[in-house]
Amino acid sequence: MSKLVVKGPVRLEGRVRISGAKNAALPILIATILLKGESVITNVPNLTDIMTTIRLLRSLGLKAEFTNNTVTIMGTNDVRHIAPYELITNMRASFLVAGPILARVGFAKVPYPGGCAIGTRPVDIHLNGFRAFGIDIRVEHGFVVLKSNGKIRGSKYTLDFPSVGATQNLMMLASLAEGTSVLKNVAKEPEIEDLAAFLNQAGANVQGAGTDTIRIEGVPEMINVNYPVIPDRIETATYLCAVAITRGDVILEKVNTAQIQDIIKVLRKVGYTLEEIDDETLHISYDGGDLKGVNIKTEPFPGFSTDNQAMLMSVLAMIDGEKSSITETIFENRFMHVNELNRMGANIEVDGRKAVIHGVRNLSSSAVKMMDLRGGAALLIAGLVADGDTVLYNTYHILRGYEDITGKFIKLGAKFAH
Ligand code: UD1
């Protein structure tokens, strides 16, 4: 069982540089299945999920190497159509290979996906979208078998819910389909815009990313590109929450301030000072004034991100005497960190999709278990202010999504033991 000891309490100070976005890098790496020639993707974070994706691309016949936050990928004319079970079931995002394999081969066999255990997370919206493109779908022996009858033609499809993954899967399929596709009620997250920009640089014609309708004119082929991934908005929010809970003073570099307004607004409302020094530099500090509880609910972008709620909950849990609430509307089971925070002395009640947080003065160190990636980050930042040694178990969860997490925190003043 992987574990890490956080020695608290500490106050974070200094500067931290934000890495490239996992959730933007994963679909972009997978989109290279669509491309011919050698592509170079830069600002890719060094994470276990990225390494899983590289292994996945190799298993499909591409050549891929990771060095110094750069992935060099050689596309192939001979894309294999079967994605291996152990790679797909480890990581939900790997189901994104279905769209590009279909686009290149017309036939794909992909196991049902895995990933964080935050709810049932079905893929029905992906599959209904594929059906709208004339793809025949069967489930056999745990695999989803997808098959087109002849050439894949562009189509119109309205998503039941703006699923990020389904939007990405369909964008990739439509990029090489014949004719025009119109996708409605799509996700508007920055990672969608980043994928669209990547696809367009590779020769696709994707318009409207960032709005709720995307129009795609299919192209016959796509070619190699050199592309930098956007900054990680969830990692940014995690450091902001870590500084906030320790009442610290930190400058975050290489962020994209426009993409993190959800967390900036909430932390300002709570009472922290956030100064946008420029488009990619953000200063967070606390001037000693009263901090207030807030009531928020998670929503699709540009609303408050579901990925940030766990870390914000740790901050709210430490605002003594103030009551806050967080309503989770995106995932049905994303409060797995609550029990563990309560073991550390937090006072949080969950009623269905709503968590009511009664702020306390102190958290106490304890042994706690990470249950998922962002919930794991929430426990780590709670450990920064808990008195004594907080022993975090199952730390492999945070290695999926945070580059050099202990190194970055140590530079800001955190103390760890193994
Ligand atoms: C992506 C992000 C994840 C983020 C989420 C929502 C990556 C790798 N992960 O996940 O960090 O929390 O967006 O912003 O980018 N759903 C269905 N049927 C489907 C697809 C989704 O019911 O076919 C449901 C899911 O169970 C979930 C909700 O829709 O409750 C949102 O899922 P989705 O937007 O697809 O998230 P992911 O792409 O998996």
Side-chain angles (χ1 to χ4, degrees):
M1 201 187 303
S2 51
K3 80 168 192 188
L4 179 68
V5 179
V6 190
K7 293 180 164 294
V10 293
R11 178 170 181 269
L12 300 185
E13 283 178 13
R15 290 176 170 262
V16 62
R17 192 187 166 104
I18 297 304
S19 300
K22 168 180 89 79
N23 286 356
L26 295 178
I28 286 173
L29 292 175
I30 288 173
T32 61
I33 297 169
L34 298 164
L35 271 49
K36 297 188 169 159
E38 187 179 87
S39 295
V40 179
I41 319 296
T42 54
N43 202 29
V44 180
N46 187 351
L47 304 169
T48 50
D49 271 10
I50 296 293
M51 301 312 148
T52 304
T53 306
I54 288 174
R55 295 208 323 269
L56 180 58
L57 293 177
R58 287 182 187 147
S59 76
L60 297 174
L62 290 84
K63 293 200 177 95
E65 291 299 335
F66 181 101
T67 345
N68 293 332
N69 296 106
T70 296
V71 185
T72 307
I73 302 174
M74 181 58 87
T76 174
N77 284 332
D78 231 349
V79 175
R80 284 184 211 128
H81 70 275
I82 302 183
Y85 173 85
E86 62 280 9
L87 298 178
I88 299 281
T89 49
N90 272 338
M91 190 180 71
R92 177 177 165 82
S94 38
F95 194 70
L96 294 179
V97 298
I101 297 177
L102 270 174
R104 290 296 302 275
V105 191
F107 180 50
K109 213 173 152 188
V110 185
Y112 259 109
C116 281
I118 51 174
T120 49
R121 303 182 93 183
V123 285
D124 55 316
I125 305 171
H126 301 238
L127 300 185
N128 288 337
F130 290 144
R131 283 194 188 96
F133 281 78
I135 306 295
D136 178 61
I137 297 173
R138 278 172 298 135
V139 178
E140 275 175 8
H141 309 293
F143 280 84
V144 187
V145 182
L146 309 108
K147 195 169 184 307
S148 79
N149 296 310
K151 245 186 162 351
I152 300 174
R153 293 184 203 290
S155 179
K156 292 191 169 60
Y157 177 64
T158 303
L159 282 69
D160 286 345
F161 173 84
S163 153
V164 172
T167 303
Q168 292 166 337
N169 233 333
L170 296 173
M171 281 164 74
M172 293 190 278
L173 177 65
S175 290
L176 285 183
E178 199 175 84
T180 308
S181 296
V182 181
L183 305 172
K184 291 193 171 166
N185 195 29
V186 291
K188 295 185 278 201
E189 269 66 4
E191 294 76 19
I192 300 286
E193 284 188 71
D194 206 31
L195 177 61
F198 170 82
L199 294 170
N200 286 342
Q201 203 170 312
N205 185 349
V206 180
Q207 306 300 329
T211 74
D212 57 13
T213 302
I214 293 180
R215 191 185 165 92
I216 300 169
E217 300 292 339
V219 294
E221 68 169 28
M222 291 164 67
I223 48 156
N224 49 315
V225 288
N226 193 326
Y227 193 85
V229 171
I230 54 172
D232 196 312
R233 62 196 173 100
I234 315 172
E235 189 197 21
T236 311
T238 304
Y239 283 96
L240 288 175
C241 289
V243 179
I245 200 171
T246 68
R247 315 292 194 251
D249 187 330
V250 167
I251 291 177
L252 290 84
E253 298 168 338
K254 296 277 170 218
V255 306
N256 181 325
T257 53
Q259 294 173 352
I260 51 167
Q261 289 299 319
D262 63 332
I263 187 76
I264 289 180
K265 278 187 201 141
V266 171
L267 289 175
R268 278 188 182 142
K269 204 167 165 194
V270 171
Y272 295 96
T273 304
L274 286 99
E275 183 199 353
E276 296 173 40
I277 295 173
D278 58 38
D279 293 351
E280 52 173 41
T281 317
L282 183 61
H283 180 197
I284 175 168
S285 59
Y286 168 61
D287 65 11
D290 284 346
L291 297 176
K292 290 194 300 283
V294 287
N295 300 307
I296 63 149
K297 71 173 180 200
T298 62
E299 286 173 309
F301 190 84
F304 189 85
S305 165
T306 171
D307 291 303
N308 295 341
Q309 63 87 347
M311 293 82 82
L312 179 69
M313 196 178 293
S314 293
V315 176
L316 299 177
M318 274 285 287
I319 303 181
D320 189 24
E322 287 288 313
K323 184 172 162 185
S324 300
S325 71
I326 296 181
T327 304
E328 172 57 62
T329 73
I330 308 294
F331 290 102
E332 75 268 28
N333 185 20
R334 209 168 191 180
F335 285 142
M336 288 181 296
H337 46 283
V338 168
N339 268 347
E340 304 300 296
L341 285 174
N342 283 344
R343 297 188 69 237
M344 297 177 72
N347 182 359
I348 305 168
E349 296 164 314
V350 174
D351 181 10
R353 290 196 165 208
K354 186 171 180 180
V356 177
I357 303 130
H358 305 274
V360 297
R361 182 180 294 273
N362 294 308
L363 293 177
S364 64
S365 54
S366 146
V368 287
K369 200 193 270 182
M370 296 186 175
M371 312 291 270
D372 65 0
L373 169 56
R374 307 302 169 189
L379 298 178
L380 188 153
I381 68 175
L384 295 173
V385 287
D387 204 4
D389 286 4
T390 297
V391 188
L392 305 166
Y393 286 97
N394 290 352
T395 49
Y396 60 85
H397 283 296
I398 50 172
L399 302 181
R400 293 184 54 192
Y402 292 96
E403 181 170 65
D404 188 25
I405 186 163
T406 47
K408 288 187 183 187
F409 271 115
I410 287 168
K411 279 201 198 118
L412 295 175
K415 297 188 186 85
F416 297 104
H418 287 277

